[in-house]
Amino acid sequence: MALWGGRFSSETDKELTEFSESVSYDKRLYKYDVLGSKTHVAMLAAQGIIPKETAEAIAVELDVIEKRIDAGDFELKAELEDIHMHIENALIEKLGDEGARVHSARSRNDQVALDIRLYLRDEITNIAEGVKEFQQALVDQADRNGDAILPGFTHLQHAQPVLFGHHLLAYVEMFARDIERLLDCRKRVNVMPLGSGALAGTTLPINREMVCESLKFERVTRNSMDAVADRDFAIELLSALSIFAMHVSRLSEDLILWCSQEFSFVELGDAFCTGSSLMPQKKNPDIAELSRGKTARVYGSLMSLLTLCKGLPLTYNRDMQEDKEPLFDAIDTVNKILRVYPPMVAGLEICRENMFSAASDPALMATDLAEELVKLGVPFRTAHHRVGSFVKWCRDNGKALDAATLDEMRETIPEATPEFLDLFSPESSVAKREVTGATGPKAVADQIAFWKEKLT
Ligand code: ARG
């Protein structure tokens, strides 16, 4: 029982220990903790703060501990609170007073900050790489089936025909910005906090630059209070992950709609769907739905950390132990999505005929008519109005737009020429959109070529 245990029963004591521990989840930091401690003792020895032999003995023992944890041969106890205490305790058990020197000029506050930053640096690199593979899967799919024509939507209403490749490459652009955000955030993660002590630095003559260089950080933190108090770098990562998950969620929504009976534009691989326990005919797009659902978890993590930090006075507060589970959960969730989603995109089968027939409603070419009038010198607003009246006339007379004769068209569009009657094909509508960034076949081929080169 702890010294202050008099007013607690041993049962509550156990509950308090369970309540306080973080080792059940911060154990994933162990490799970074070992690396940080090895670097720290090497610096302490170089500065004459601890004997060289002690630093060497500690480094050897830290490797042993790491291997034991790797092998699952390392008992974790709630009483030792976190992974940092476990490793230090194991060192002391083995090396006695020598091991007890490891924590010179260090607090768990700057140690935790260091470990999280080391961990996030690696995770960010991996996630950015995973997002790039996701882009690759989209580009490959665009390369294979990108020439299919489907209706593009605004307000979930048929708007204008677009190439399937164009639609997919929109996500490739979004993911490119996600990668930029991740790597930009990594710059701010990549700053070395060790040496900040509990909050005020240390009186011992440490060499922070040496630790910084050996752990390949960009620079050392400038303010010890900031270094132990803030988690903005983690919040930034969670917002980058939230935005990425939001993009994945929108892609999921597109796929879920597209594979519904109403659209029937795509067929997802059987492995990515499940049946219903009741309805024998069902094939549900579970992986897309779950990715959309898991986006909520990632947002939840962001909200947790923002809320966690908003009321904390400087500097470290124990509340901050609660930063890890949401952070790890968001990272795990995104990593899971990154493992299952690209193969699903790669295996996507498309139903060209259904896409094309949905894009063949002549009303989707109404804008093309208006633009044709602009080419003839009609001001756009007037052109828009005339074509609008033509659409209304067709509706009122129960005719498709392409079923009207030239004379009928001229009732509402006096400037119409015989060529106007040929404006209703989705292929030619798409083919005429060759400005940079538009959905024309050449413009889309340029996008594909750009991404193929960029992704190699
Ligand atoms: N388990 C704590 C955490 O993860 C370690 C830091 C504890 N520092 C302290 N002064 N109690 O945040």
Side-chain angles (χ1 to χ4, degrees):
M1 195 175 287
L3 288 176
W4 38 262
R7 71 188 291 278
F8 296 98
S9 70
S10 58
E11 216 17 69
T12 15
D13 198 6
K14 187 170 174 297
E15 267 192 53
L16 294 179
T17 306
E18 292 293 332
F19 185 77
S20 309
E21 67 86 27
S22 57
V23 69
S24 56
Y25 47 88
D26 66 22
K27 62 185 175 209
R28 78 163 69 188
L29 298 174
Y30 75 96
K31 277 183 192 291
Y32 301 101
D33 201 67
V34 165
L35 174 65
S37 291
K38 280 167 74 175
T39 314
H40 181 62
V41 292
M43 178 278 289
L44 292 176
Q47 296 298 102
I49 300 170
I50 64 171
K52 203 159 164 286
E53 307 72 56
T54 301
E56 281 162 8
I58 290 175
V60 169
E61 193 49 36
L62 281 167
D63 284 338
V64 173
I65 294 171
E66 179 173 345
K67 292 217 175 68
R68 279 176 54 205
I69 304 178
D70 283 341
D73 172 28
F74 190 91
E75 201 198 339
L76 301 174
K77 307 184 201 104
E79 305 87 82
L80 286 174
E81 188 181 312
D82 54 28
I83 192 64
H84 322 290
M85 294 294 266
H86 275 80
I87 293 176
E88 185 179 344
N89 194 63
L91 268 182
I92 295 171
E93 266 177 8
K94 201 60 182 251
L95 301 175
D97 269 356
E98 268 199 306
R101 294 185 194 280
V102 66
H103 211 52
S104 319
R106 187 175 75 174
S107 152
R108 259 185 305 154
N109 298 350
D110 57 349
Q111 186 180 0
V112 171
L114 175 73
D115 291 3
I116 301 178
R117 285 172 182 271
L118 285 168
Y119 164 74
L120 291 184
R121 248 178 17 175
D122 282 355
E123 285 293 354
I124 292 172
T125 306
N126 289 338
I127 292 172
E129 198 48 50
V131 179
K132 196 172 158 190
E133 282 164 25
F134 202 151
Q135 287 181 303
Q136 188 68 59
L138 288 161
V139 172
D140 289 348
Q141 180 63 246
D143 203 17
R144 203 149 15 103
N145 289 315
D147 59 328
I149 296 179
L150 76 166
F153 291 79
T154 62
H155 313 269
L156 197 56
Q157 307 279 323
H158 283 182
Q160 292 175 334
V162 293
L163 291 183
F164 182 55
H166 197 53
H167 195 123
L168 294 179
L169 292 172
Y171 287 105
V172 176
E173 295 286 339
M174 295 174 209
F175 289 166
R177 292 190 295 277
D178 290 326
I179 292 173
E180 277 178 32
R181 266 184 286 273
L182 286 165
L183 298 181
D184 193 60
C185 159
R186 193 182 183 284
K187 290 186 210 155
R188 284 173 289 283
V189 169
N190 197 18
V191 182
M192 210 292 293
L194 204 67
S196 300
L199 77 162
T202 174
T203 60
L204 293 164
I206 57 171
N207 182 348
R208 299 188 62 206
E209 282 68 26
M210 180 182 164
V211 174
C212 179
E213 200 172 306
S214 111
L215 293 174
K216 301 191 172 61
F217 278 100
E218 194 57 40
R219 63 175 177 87
V220 301
T221 53
R222 271 188 299 267
N223 181 309
S224 62
M225 296 179 77
D226 170 46
V228 296
D230 209 355
R231 293 289 184 264
D232 58 354
F233 58 91
I235 294 173
E236 225 182 304
L237 173 59
L238 289 175
S239 44
L241 295 179
S242 293
I243 297 173
F244 168 68
M246 177 272 292
H247 289 148
V248 175
S249 192
R250 293 188 75 168
L251 173 59
S252 299
E253 181 65 14
D254 278 342
L255 292 175
I256 292 163
L257 286 172
W258 287 349
C259 71
S260 70
Q261 288 70 24
E262 283 69 21
F263 285 76
S264 296
F265 286 176
V266 300
E267 176 98 29
L268 297 173
D270 285 353
F272 301 94
C273 300
T274 61
S276 154
S277 56
L278 179 73
M279 299 166 282
Q281 85 284 10
K282 289 294 289 279
K283 179 177 164 187
N284 299 324
D286 299 53
I287 299 301
E289 291 176 286
L290 283 167
S291 301
R292 187 176 59 185
K294 284 175 192 292
T295 299
R297 293 174 75 119
V298 181
Y299 291 4
S301 292
L302 172 61
M303 287 309 132
S304 290
L305 249 70
L306 282 169
T307 311
L308 177 73
C309 293
K310 74 177 272 293
L312 298 181
L314 295 190
T315 51
Y316 178 85
N317 298 269
R318 188 63 183 278
D319 317 44
M320 288 162 72
Q321 178 171 299
E322 293 287 317
D323 63 351
K324 287 167 210 67
E325 280 176 295
L327 185 59
F328 297 164
D329 188 75
I331 288 170
D332 292 346
T333 302
V334 166
N335 277 324
K336 281 181 204 166
I337 292 174
L338 286 173
R339 277 195 294 276
V340 298
Y341 222 116
M344 180 167 76
V345 168
L348 206 63
E349 297 290 338
I350 68 160
C351 315
R352 284 173 181 267
E353 303 72 33
N354 296 343
M355 287 182 172
F356 189 77
S357 91
S360 297
D361 173 359
L364 271 72
M365 271 56 80
T367 315
D368 296 39
L369 259 66
E371 290 188 350
E372 215 49 41
L373 286 173
V374 168
K375 288 181 202 161
L376 295 175
V378 179
F380 181 75
R381 246 331 124 216
T382 312
H384 185 279
H385 190 80
R386 296 209 169 141
V387 177
S389 308
F390 173 59
V391 170
K392 183 172 184 307
W393 183 91
C394 291
R395 292 265 140 89
D396 292 347
N397 290 275
K399 282 201 176 187
L401 269 58
D402 60 348
T405 64
L406 185 57
D407 284 341
E408 286 168 341
M409 195 186 272
R410 281 182 170 151
E411 300 271 324
T412 46
I413 311 177
E415 299 84 353
T417 63
E419 289 75 50
F420 274 55
L421 298 176
D422 300 328
L423 291 175
F424 296 106
S425 112
E427 289 109 317
S428 62
S429 169
V430 163
K432 279 183 285 192
R433 292 182 150 71
E434 292 291 20
V435 300
T436 306
T439 197
K442 227 188 78 46
V444 172
D446 287 349
Q447 290 184 60
I448 294 178
F450 171 85
W451 285 113
K452 276 184 165 174
E453 172 161 358
K454 179 116 177 148
L455 293 173
T456 48

